[in-house]
Amino acid sequence: MRIDDTKARLVDVKIEDNLDILLASFGLKGIIKSSLKASLVEEIIQSLTGDIMDNIDLFFEELEEYYISDPQFRQFRLGQIRKYIFEERGYVTAHMIKF
């Protein structure tokens, strides 16, 4: 197993352990309203080794897969789900990256 595969599996486990929080709110409005979700996402990303931007990308790539496969999200088109992921990634990136 490659390091990236191991990291992806670790992210999957952390997402699965926290699905109730991570899928309860979505998009920019959802992550702003849920300080619990924002802090959990940041905690998961910070727990990973390596480049912070790579870890942010990996986390949201994995989360997008969960959004797409979850029955709650079947009411949304793929483009809308990707928009939610884009908004959340931007919010988290802005809070985690210090310029």
Side-chain angles (χ1 to χ4, degrees):
M1 208 183 256
R2 295 181 345 205
I3 292 174
D4 289 345
D5 293 338
T6 303
K7 270 174 114 171
R9 185 64 198 132
L10 177 61
V11 170
D12 284 339
V13 167
K14 290 182 181 218
I15 289 173
E16 289 168 9
D17 289 346
N18 296 285
L19 272 179
D20 54 336
I21 295 167
L22 295 172
L23 298 184
S25 60
F26 42 88
L28 182 59
K29 289 181 183 178
I31 201 164
I32 288 172
K33 289 181 181 178
S34 175
S35 59
L36 184 58
K37 179 176 181 173
S39 63
L40 176 62
V41 169
E42 290 181 18
E43 179 183 313
I44 292 170
I45 292 168
Q46 288 172 344
S47 74
L48 303 171
T49 60
D51 181 73
I52 189 76
M53 290 305 298
D54 290 344
N55 294 339
I56 290 170
D57 289 343
L58 174 63
F59 176 82
F60 283 103
E61 287 169 12
E62 298 301 314
L63 185 61
E64 182 177 343
E65 291 179 22
Y66 282 89
Y67 279 12
I68 291 168
S69 65
D70 189 86
Q72 161 181 302
F73 286 88
R74 291 199 180 121
Q75 63 182 316
F76 302 110
R77 291 185 174 161
L78 183 58
Q80 185 64 45
I81 292 172
R82 288 189 172 141
K83 179 181 178 241
Y84 292 146
I85 290 292
F86 178 80
E87 291 172 348
E88 291 180 31
R89 179 185 285 137
Y91 180 86
V92 168
T93 300
H95 281 87
M96 294 189 75
I97 302 299
K98 309 292 187 246
F99 294 102

